[in-house]
Amino acid sequence: MELPTSEGRDVFPKTELKVNEKRGYIGDNVPRCDALPPKAWLKKGATYHFREDSQSLMGKKDPDWWANPDDWTPRMVLDPNTSSLYAKLCNKDEVTNQCDFRSTVVLDEDIPCDGECNADRSRWRISMPCECSIDEPRTVRIDHSPNLAPVWYEYVRQPCIQLAFPEDGHMKTVREIGENTDYGNKAMCADTRLPVAGTACCDKNGQNPIHICVFKGDRVSYSTSEERCAAYGGTTCAWSTVPINGGCGTDTAYNQGSYSEDSSPGLRFLWSSQPCSMSVQISPDGNVAIIHKAGTINVKERVAIDTGTYFGVLWGGDGSYPTVSSSNCGSCEVHESTCVCPAIAVTSAVFDGSQGMPTMNELVSQLHIGAPDPNSFDGTYSLCTAPMCLNNADYNVFSTTAVSNDASIADAFDDQTIFEVNGLFLSNTASIVDIGDGYTFRNPPMYNSPIDQTQRDALYETDAILQHYVDHPNTAPFISTKLIQHLVTSNPSPRYVKVVADAFRTGTYTSGGYTFGKGNYGDMEACVAAILLDREARSSTLDDDAISGRAREPLLKVMHMMRSMELSTESGAKREVDMIYLTSRGLGQESFNAPSVFSFFLSEYQPVGPALNKGVVAPETQLFDAPKLISFMNGLFSLPAFGLTDCQWWQGFGSDRARYWITDYPDGGYFDCGSAETEQPGVPLRLRWKPPSWGGETNVNNAPPSQIIDEVDLLLTGGRLHPSNKAIMEQVYNSANSGINPDSKSLKAVISHFAATPEFHITNNLMNSRVTTTATRPTPDISTPPNPAPVTDYRAIVYLYMDGAMDSYSALVPMNCYLNQQYVSVRGDIAIKSGLLPIDASTSDQPCDDFGLHPSLSNIHSLYNDGDASFIANVGPLIKTMDKYEFEAGSKPQPMALFAHNTQTQITQTVFAQDASAGGVLGRIGDSINNREGSDVFDAYSISGTPKVLEGAPSVSKPADVLSGSGVADFIPKAGTFEANIEALSENVVTSIYGETFSVSMTNAIYRTRLLDEVIGNVTLDEDSCFTNAGTDLADQFEQVARIIKSRDGLEAKRDVFYVSIGGFDTHSDNGPVLTNLLSQIDDSISCFASEMKSQGVWSNVTVISASEFGRTLTSNGLGTDHAWGGNHFIAGGSVAGGRIH
C-alpha cells in the first residue's frame, strides 16, 4: 500500500469518533517519538526492510536520481568486520559463509553502535564507520561481496507520535531550502528533540554558513546539530542564507532546473538558532489551526494565518473556547471571524502518589500518552516492588527510582513513570495547551511531522484510523447485519443481530455442544457459525413468513444454475468460466466490477409494493428492473439451449466464439451457433445434468414429468415450487417432448423456465403454506389509440443525478473578486486557475459579478449566455436553517448521516430530510398531479436503474418504467417463444414480499416492454448522430429520453419525469482529470439533448435539473477532495430564468 506524502497530505491531528459521548485523538496511547530510547534503531525490536537500492520507500522520498548511480548518493555504509548491525542484516550462512538476506529483519536484542566520525560538508571526506555519530539512519548499505552489487536495508522506526505543540523551550526555527519565497526560503517551527532537519553551521562570528552531514539526507535533532557545529569549530546559524549542498541533499533534483514541488529534494529543512513560537487560530466552531511565528520571517502556508488546516481539539472544562461573538476573543487577537491566541504547551505528571495507587479506571481515563517499553532503556527503569505495587493485580509501575517499600511509594510517581496495563505502556503525563483566559485543550498527538512527512507515518496513521473504526462499538452490529442480509435474511430481528455481533466481539460461538472460533475479536468462524446456526436461519416455520429470507443476487443465481445443472465439458476437463462483461450484458452484477463502494444495490432499498408498505427492506430487488430481468431471462434461456456462448446476440453468459477453439480431444473442434443448439459438434461447456429418474442420458425409465420436475425443483428451488407453477412446468415439459431428442428438449425447456419462476429468485416460501387459495394479478392495460391526438401542454423534467458527490466547486468558480483569491488559496492543488469560461452574474445576488464555468462545460456555458441555463448555489439537504455554531452544537435538527453517500442519496432524492420513509420528490409530485387531475396523467421513466426520486406514496404510485441506454429491453427469440409461460409463472398474488416484488416487476416488464417497444421502437431523432458521436452511456440515456418525448402522442403523455445518471464523482483521489472527463460527458449529452428538444419544438416544455448527494470539500486532501455538504447545481430549459446564479 502506498499513500501520498506530499505537502497536500493532511498531517495534522485528527479526533476519534464519539464512543459513549466521549472522544479522543487518533494517536492516543502511542509513545512520543522524543521519548524513545536513544539509538532506538539498535534496540531490540528495531525493524529493517530489504531494498533494491538506496531509495527510501518509507521515509520522505528522495529524488529518484539519488539512487542511480549509487556513487552519487553516499549513505550509511556498515563495516562488515566491526558492525553488529551488519551481522544482523547479513545473517551469514555458516555453511556457505555468505549472507542470507531476509526481506524483513527485526533485531532480537540490543546491539552497540559502531564507530564515530565528524560530520562534513563533503560526504566523501568522511571515513566509516559512523554509526555512533548519527541520530537515525535512512537506508544502510551492506557491501557483502567484492563481485556482487551492494544490498540495502531501510530502517523503519516503530509507530510514535509527536505532540502538535512542543513544550516551551523545545522549539527552534527550521529553514526550508529554496531559491525564492515562491517555493522555499520559508520557516517552520520544529521540536528540537526530533531528527527532522539537517545541520547548518556558521563560524563563531555567525558568518560563512555551510551544510554538514554524515550521509546524504541526514536528519538530526537540534542538540546533535549544535554538537556537530561545535566539533566543526562553529555554531548553528541564525537566519543566514544556506548554500545548496549536493553532498548532503539540499540540492534541487539533478538537471531538473529550479526548485519546485516536482523537483523537491529529499532533505527540505535545516536547523537555525532562530527562536520561534506557536499560536492557534480558532474558528467560530471551535476548530483550531496551528500558526508558527519566527519573528518577521515568512512561514510555510500550512502553518500561516488564514491558510492553515483546521482540526478539532478536545477543549477543557465545560468545552468552551474564545469566539469573536461571545467574548471578542478575550485577551486573544481578533482576526476577522477568528481568534488568534498564543499557545503554551505544559506537560506534567498526572499521579504523584499522594493519594496512593490510582485505580485502573483512573489510569485509562486520565492517561492518553503512550510510552516505550521500560526494558528498552538499559536498566534505567525498575519495577516497583513495594507491597502496594505487588498487591495491585491490574497494572505494573516502572520508575527511574527503585521503590521497594510503601513509605517511599511517592518516589515511584513522577513525569518519568511508566505504567504497564494489559501489555500497553502509558506515560504518567498529560499535556495541555493553554491559550489564556482559562481556556485550554488537550495537546493533540500527530503521527506525521509537518516538517518531514513520511510514507511510514502516513501508513501508521491510516492503520490507527482503520483500527479505531474496527474497534468501534458500532462495527460488530454493522458487519453482522450486512452478513446476515447477504446470507440469510434481509430483515433480521434485533435479537439475531445481537447474537451474531456478540460472536464477532468475543470470537466464539457455541451451538449443539460445539464451540466455533478462537476467541479473537472479529473471528469470522464464530461470526458465520452464529449466522448459519441461529434459529432464524434454520427454522422452517419462518419460511412461511412474508418478510423472512431475501431476494437473491443475479450472479449467485447464475452460478447456482451452472453448478446444480453441472456445467462441464464432455471429457470432464476443467475449464475457466469466463464470466466477464455481465454488467454490460444487462445482468446488473459482475465480479470485481462494482459500480461504487456500495456495491450493486443498497442495503436499505425498499421497492414500491409490499416491502415499502410494511416498512422493510429488500436490497437485491433493486436489480428487479425491466432491462435486468429481461437480460437475465435471455441469458438463462440461452444457457440450456446453447451452452456457455453468446449465440443470442450478446445475451448469453459466454464470451465470443473464438473462446472455444479448444485443441485437446475430445472437446476439440469448432462450432457455430447454427449447430450449437443441436449439439453438433457441440459446445464444450454445457449443462450436463440428467434427472436420476431417467436412468441414463435419456428417459429410458419413462419417468413421469412430475417426478422429473420434482428433481429439478429440489436442486433449483429447494423443493419450494408452488403447485400452480409445477402444473405449468409439467405442461412445458410435455409440450417440448417431441421431434429429435425429445427428452433433451423437454429438460432444457424446464430448466429455462425454472429461471423464470419467482421461487428461483427468493429464499422463502412463495405462498404461506396455510393459504389454500390464490388470487390472480390484474392484467395491465397497455392499449393505445390507433390515431392519437397531438398532446398539448406537455411538460417534462429530466433529473440528472451525479452519483458519488460532484465536486461542484470546480464546476462554478468565482472570478475577478476577493473570493477568487480565497478560492485559489483554500483549494490549493485542485484550484482551476486558467481556462475558466466566464459568465456574468451581475444580476444575481452573489458576492461576485463574475464567475467561471469549468473548461469542459462549453455547451452549458452557451446555454447560460443564451438565457437557457442557470445555477443554484449551495444546494443541500436541510431540516431547519442553521449557522455553523448551531450545527456544531447540535441545537437544531440535522439531516441523518450527513456525508454518507447512501443516506444522503435517499434524502437528496426525497427532499424530505426529516422523514426517512418519505417517497421520492418526483414521485410525490406525480401523486399530487394525478390527485389534482383525477386521472393518471403522470408517467415516470428511469434510464438508469430504480432510483428513490421516482417513488411515490405506497399503494398509490405506479412503478416507474425502467429502460436502458440502448432502449427498450426485449426477449431473445428463444425466450420470446415462451413469453406467455413466463407471464403465467408470475400471475398469482403471493405472500412473500420478495416473490411478490419479483412477480410484479416481471409482469410490468413484460407488459410495459410491449407497449414501449410498439410506440418508440422505431422512432428516429434529428440528433441521432450527435448522441452516437458522443459515444457515452449518459448520451445514450438522454437519447432514450428524447425518443420517449418524441413519442408523447402515442403514449398520451402529459406530465413525464425522467431519471438519468452518471457515476464516478467520488473523487477522493482525483485532482482534476476524472472530473474533467465526467463533466465533458455531461456537457456533450446536454448539448445533443437541447438541440433535439429544440428540433421537436418542446425545449420550452422541458427542464433538466442536476443533483448529487452532497458537495465536496473546498480543501484538497492531497489527491482530491472529500465529503462536504452543500454544492452548486444547474438547471436548463427553454423556460428557466436563465443567465443567473440563484
Side-chain angles (χ1 to χ4, degrees):
M1 182 177 181
E2 188 166 338
L3 298 173
T5 58
S6 69
E7 292 183 14
R9 179 180 172 85
D10 178 9
V11 301
F12 293 101
K14 298 166 182 65
T15 54
E16 296 178 338
L17 301 174
K18 276 187 177 180
V19 177
N20 297 325
E21 296 304 312
K22 295 181 180 179
R23 192 192 299 272
Y25 291 117
I26 298 296
D28 277 351
N29 300 335
V30 177
R32 291 177 59 162
C33 298
D34 58 16
L36 297 180
K39 296 288 189 293
W41 51 282
L42 295 174
K43 298 295 182 180
K44 181 179 179 180
T47 301
Y48 292 81
H49 289 177
F50 185 88
R51 296 286 180 250
E52 62 181 12
D53 55 35
S54 65
Q55 177 64 277
S56 170
L57 299 184
M58 296 297 282
K60 185 175 180 66
K61 189 176 181 181
D62 298 322
D64 290 335
W65 70 271
W66 276 23
N68 185 26
D70 176 61
D71 290 344
W72 292 359
T73 314
R75 292 291 181 90
M76 280 291 298
V77 182
L78 305 183
D79 191 309
N81 299 312
T82 59
S83 172
S84 298
L85 181 58
Y86 180 98
K88 294 291 185 182
L89 299 178
C90 171
N91 188 36
K92 184 174 292 184
D93 187 302
E94 295 182 359
V95 176
T96 64
N97 206 34
Q98 300 295 316
C99 291
D100 182 14
F101 296 113
R102 294 163 289 179
S103 59
T104 299
V105 176
V106 179
L107 298 187
D108 56 359
E109 61 179 341
D110 295 350
I111 57 176
C113 60
D114 179 37
E116 294 183 356
C117 59
N118 289 329
D120 200 288
R121 65 190 303 174
S122 175
R123 166 64 189 80
W124 289 271
R125 295 205 297 252
I126 299 175
S127 298
M128 293 291 176
C130 295
E131 292 177 19
C132 299
S133 299
I134 66 170
D135 284 352
E136 188 174 281
R138 288 169 64 77
T139 53
V140 296
R141 195 174 82 191
I142 310 293
D143 293 330
H144 60 106
S145 169
N147 302 318
L148 299 173
V151 162
W152 299 88
Y153 276 93
E154 179 177 8
Y155 169 59
V156 182
R157 194 208 61 219
Q158 72 179 78
C160 62
I161 56 92
Q162 64 182 84
L163 294 178
F165 298 86
E167 295 86 353
D168 197 29
H170 292 287
M171 290 181 285
K172 290 289 185 182
T173 301
V174 291
R175 180 170 183 172
E176 183 182 33
I177 305 304
E179 296 180 348
N180 53 60
T181 55
D182 289 337
Y183 204 92
N185 281 333
K186 293 181 181 177
M188 291 188 73
C189 207
D191 190 324
T192 57
R193 295 160 292 190
L194 300 176
V196 294
T199 301
C201 299
C202 291
D203 61 24
K204 293 182 178 180
N205 297 318
Q207 303 297 316
N208 301 313
I210 59 172
H211 176 193
I212 63 175
C213 61
V214 170
F215 63 87
K216 195 163 191 171
D218 186 13
R219 278 96 161 149
V220 296
S221 65
Y222 184 72
S223 61
T224 298
S225 185
E226 286 185 308
E227 292 170 3
R228 288 183 175 182
C229 289
Y232 213 82
T235 183
T236 55
C237 296
W239 199 253
S240 301
T241 300
V242 178
I244 288 174
N245 183 346
C248 286
T250 50
D251 53 343
T252 57
Y254 182 69
N255 264 348
Q256 296 297 308
S258 62
Y259 189 100
S260 68
E261 187 171 11
D262 294 333
S263 63
S264 96
L267 181 59
R268 295 286 297 279
F269 291 90
L270 298 179
W271 287 106
S272 81
S273 58
Q274 173 75 34
C276 67
S277 63
M278 290 189 184
S279 299
V280 290
Q281 185 171 13
I282 307 169
S283 68
D285 55 7
N287 291 330
V288 307
I290 298 174
I291 308 300
H292 289 189
K293 294 185 178 181
T296 60
I297 303 168
N298 288 333
V299 297
K300 289 288 291 180
E301 288 80 1
R302 59 176 171 264
V303 289
I305 196 165
D306 290 339
T307 57
T309 297
Y310 283 97
F311 55 88
V313 294
L314 306 179
W315 290 97
D318 61 1
S320 61
Y321 50 87
T323 64
V324 175
S325 60
S326 64
S327 62
N328 202 33
C329 294
S331 61
C332 299
E333 173 190 347
V334 176
H335 182 79
E336 297 180 354
S337 63
T338 67
C339 299
V340 179
C341 310
I344 305 298
V346 178
T347 301
S348 57
V350 176
F351 302 106
D352 60 10
S354 61
Q355 303 297 318
M357 301 286 288
T359 66
M360 180 74 159
N361 183 61
E362 289 173 330
L363 282 186
V364 298
S365 63
Q366 297 184 51
L367 300 183
H368 305 288
I369 300 174
D373 185 340
N375 295 312
S376 63
F377 286 90
D378 298 329
T380 301
Y381 280 87
S382 299
L383 176 66
C384 174
T385 57
M388 293 178 65
C389 294
L390 295 178
N391 292 333
N392 173 48
D394 292 332
Y395 57 84
N396 292 321
V397 181
F398 294 88
S399 60
T400 55
T401 301
V403 176
S404 59
N405 58 78
D406 290 346
S408 305
I409 194 66
D411 295 339
F413 295 92
D414 58 21
D415 60 3
Q416 299 298 308
T417 301
I418 296 175
F419 296 96
E420 182 185 13
V421 183
N422 296 325
L424 176 69
F425 296 103
L426 296 173
S427 170
N428 183 34
T429 57
S431 184
I432 64 167
V433 179
D434 190 332
I435 62 171
D437 298 328
Y439 296 113
T440 64
F441 57 84
R442 180 152 70 84
N443 201 348
M446 48 199 298
Y447 277 92
N448 229 320
S449 166
I451 311 295
D452 195 44
Q453 305 99 314
T454 68
Q455 178 79 200
R456 171 200 63 212
D457 293 333
L459 288 169
Y460 286 154
E461 181 183 64
T462 301
D463 284 344
I465 293 171
L466 293 176
Q467 191 63 51
H468 173 61
Y469 290 155
V470 169
D471 292 339
H472 193 276
N474 289 352
T475 298
F478 176 83
I479 291 178
S480 299
T481 300
K482 300 302 180 186
L483 289 175
I484 294 171
Q485 285 185 315
H486 279 287
L487 296 175
V488 178
T489 178
S490 296
N491 297 280
S493 69
R495 180 209 61 82
Y496 191 7
V497 173
K498 184 180 186 303
V499 168
V500 178
D502 288 344
F504 185 94
R505 291 191 189 99
T506 63
T508 60
Y509 177 76
T510 301
S511 176
Y514 294 93
T515 298
F516 302 87
K518 296 180 173 58
N520 299 318
Y521 178 85
D523 191 301
M524 293 309 294
E525 177 184 324
C527 186
V528 173
I531 292 171
L532 298 181
L533 298 178
D534 187 82
R535 64 176 186 258
E536 285 190 42
R538 297 169 60 84
S539 172
S540 58
T541 302
L542 286 177
D543 289 341
D544 271 343
D545 187 85
I547 67 172
S548 182
R550 61 188 181 89
R552 302 174 67 207
E553 301 172 44
L555 190 56
L556 293 183
K557 290 181 287 192
V558 173
M559 298 305 295
H560 178 190
M561 178 66 74
M562 290 179 174
R563 288 174 173 171
S564 296
M565 296 294 101
E566 299 178 5
L567 182 79
S568 59
T569 61
E570 184 177 2
S571 66
K574 292 184 178 180
R575 298 282 176 224
E576 177 184 291
V577 178
D578 200 354
M579 300 293 290
I580 59 175
Y581 308 125
L582 295 184
T583 300
S584 58
R585 296 181 194 208
L587 187 68
Q589 193 175 37
E590 182 179 329
S591 295
F592 313 116
N593 194 25
S596 74
V597 294
F598 297 101
S599 193
F600 302 91
F601 45 83
L602 297 175
S603 60
E604 64 272 18
Y605 179 70
Q606 294 179 296
V608 173
L612 184 59
N613 297 344
K614 291 178 179 292
V616 296
V617 300
E620 293 83 357
T621 65
Q622 192 168 9
L623 303 181
F624 284 177
D625 61 59
K628 295 182 181 68
L629 285 176
I630 291 176
S631 294
F632 184 86
M633 296 304 153
N634 287 338
L636 265 296
F637 271 80
S638 170
L639 184 61
F642 298 100
L644 194 61
T645 71
D646 64 351
C647 283
Q648 291 287 288
W649 304 285
W650 197 241
Q651 292 294 332
F653 296 133
S655 56
D656 60 42
R657 286 171 289 169
R659 164 73 177 79
Y660 298 99
W661 279 99
I662 298 176
T663 58
D664 61 326
Y665 183 84
D667 295 322
Y670 178 78
F671 74 93
D672 59 46
C673 286
S675 62
E677 190 171 11
T678 62
E679 304 178 3
Q680 299 295 329
V683 180
L685 284 167
R686 297 202 305 269
L687 303 182
R688 300 181 185 274
W689 178 84
K690 298 296 185 289
S693 59
W694 274 12
E697 289 296 303
T698 61
N699 190 4
V700 297
N701 291 338
N702 291 318
S706 61
Q707 184 178 0
I708 296 168
I709 290 165
D710 284 343
E711 292 170 338
V712 180
D713 177 22
L714 180 64
L715 293 177
L716 293 183
T717 52
R720 293 179 290 106
L721 190 66
H722 191 264
S724 62
N725 286 342
K726 182 177 179 180
I728 294 173
M729 289 297 181
E730 291 184 22
Q731 182 183 355
V732 167
Y733 187 93
N734 291 326
S735 297
N737 197 253
S738 62
I740 301 174
N741 300 323
D743 295 335
S744 178
K745 287 170 59 179
S746 295
L747 182 60
K748 289 178 181 179
V750 165
I751 292 173
S752 296
H753 278 75
F754 258 89
T757 63
E759 294 93 329
F760 184 67
H761 297 264
I762 65 176
T763 64
N764 63 344
N765 290 336
L766 189 63
M767 292 290 293
N768 188 304
S769 60
R770 295 187 296 273
V771 176
T772 57
T773 60
T774 58
T776 302
R777 184 170 294 101
T779 301
D781 180 12
I782 60 170
S783 60
T784 58
N787 297 300
V791 172
T792 58
D793 193 32
Y794 177 76
R795 294 289 185 272
I797 295 174
V798 183
Y799 186 90
L800 166 61
Y801 194 73
M802 295 173 282
D803 194 14
M806 194 265 283
D807 181 14
S808 61
Y809 295 116
S810 288
L812 182 65
V813 179
M815 296 176 64
N816 303 325
C817 72
Y818 73 97
L819 280 181
N820 181 259
Q821 288 88 28
Q822 291 185 16
Y823 167 86
V824 171
S825 174
V826 173
R827 292 234 97 183
D829 62 316
I830 55 174
I832 301 177
K833 302 175 183 177
S834 62
L836 290 168
L837 306 174
I839 60 173
D840 180 7
S842 59
T843 61
S844 309
D845 185 18
Q846 295 295 328
C848 301
D849 288 342
D850 299 321
F851 282 77
L853 302 188
H854 190 281
S856 297
L857 298 177
S858 58
N859 292 306
I860 294 178
H861 177 253
S862 297
L863 290 175
Y864 182 96
N865 290 335
D866 292 343
D868 285 352
S870 287
F871 280 83
I872 305 175
N874 201 30
V875 177
L878 201 63
I879 297 175
K880 290 187 176 181
T881 57
M882 68 179 73
D883 57 30
K884 206 168 186 180
Y885 306 105
E886 293 167 329
F887 169 72
E888 289 291 332
S891 59
K892 288 186 177 181
Q894 302 175 12
M896 181 176 62
L898 280 169
F899 321 120
H901 287 286
N902 53 346
T903 304
Q904 291 308 302
T905 293
Q906 301 290 87
I907 291 175
T908 297
Q909 294 189 13
T910 64
V911 195
F912 204 173
Q914 58 268 51
D915 185 358
S917 64
V921 62
L922 296 183
R924 300 202 315 272
I925 288 173
D927 293 341
S928 179
I929 290 174
N930 287 340
N931 182 63
R932 185 188 64 192
E933 297 294 325
S935 62
D936 284 345
V937 299
F938 174 87
D939 288 293
Y941 300 87
S942 172
I943 323 297
S944 182
T946 52
K948 182 72 174 179
V949 71
L950 301 183
E951 294 178 9
S955 303
V956 174
S957 294
K958 61 183 180 182
D961 287 310
V962 182
L963 291 76
S964 69
S966 58
V968 180
D970 204 356
F971 288 114
I972 60 173
K974 178 60 65 176
T977 304
F978 300 108
E979 186 172 323
N981 293 338
I982 297 174
E983 182 184 339
L985 289 167
S986 288
E987 69 180 4
N988 290 329
V989 178
V990 299
T991 57
S992 165
I993 64 167
Y994 314 106
E996 182 66 7
T997 301
F998 172 84
S999 295
V1000 170
S1001 300
M1002 191 74 250
T1003 301
N1004 287 336
I1006 293 172
Y1007 279 87
R1008 293 297 293 181
T1009 294
R1010 290 175 189 166
L1011 170 65
L1012 294 174
D1013 191 44
E1014 177 184 346
V1015 176
I1016 73 172
N1018 297 316
V1019 169
T1020 59
L1021 304 175
D1022 291 343
E1023 297 295 333
D1024 270 338
S1025 60
C1026 181
F1027 290 112
T1028 300
N1029 292 336
T1032 63
D1033 178 65
L1034 184 64
D1036 290 344
Q1037 293 180 56
F1038 270 100
E1039 182 178 17
Q1040 297 311 315
V1041 174
R1043 294 176 71 212
I1044 295 172
I1045 292 176
K1046 192 167 185 179
S1047 305
R1048 58 192 177 278
D1049 293 344
L1051 293 169
E1052 299 181 289
K1054 294 183 179 180
R1055 297 292 183 267
D1056 287 342
V1057 294
F1058 301 89
Y1059 176 86
V1060 297
S1061 73
I1062 177 173
F1065 285 96
D1066 198 15
T1067 49
H1068 293 284
S1069 301
D1070 170 58
N1071 61 3
V1074 172
L1075 182 66
T1076 296
N1077 176 54
L1078 294 173
L1079 292 181
S1080 294
Q1081 293 183 47
I1082 291 173
D1083 193 66
D1084 291 343
S1085 301
I1086 294 290
S1087 175
C1088 296
F1089 182 73
S1091 296
E1092 176 62 32
M1093 293 300 97
K1094 293 174 183 177
S1095 178
Q1096 293 185 26
V1098 292
W1099 180 231
S1100 295
N1101 303 71
V1102 176
T1103 302
V1104 180
I1105 60 176
S1106 72
S1108 195
E1109 55 262 51
F1110 41 72
R1112 305 195 73 83
T1113 54
L1114 273 167
T1115 55
S1116 167
N1117 62 20
L1119 287 178
T1121 54
D1122 296 321
H1123 300 179
W1125 196 344
N1128 306 315
H1129 288 280
F1130 68 86
I1131 56 174
S1135 296
V1136 305
R1140 298 188 61 194
I1141 301 175
H1142 301 283

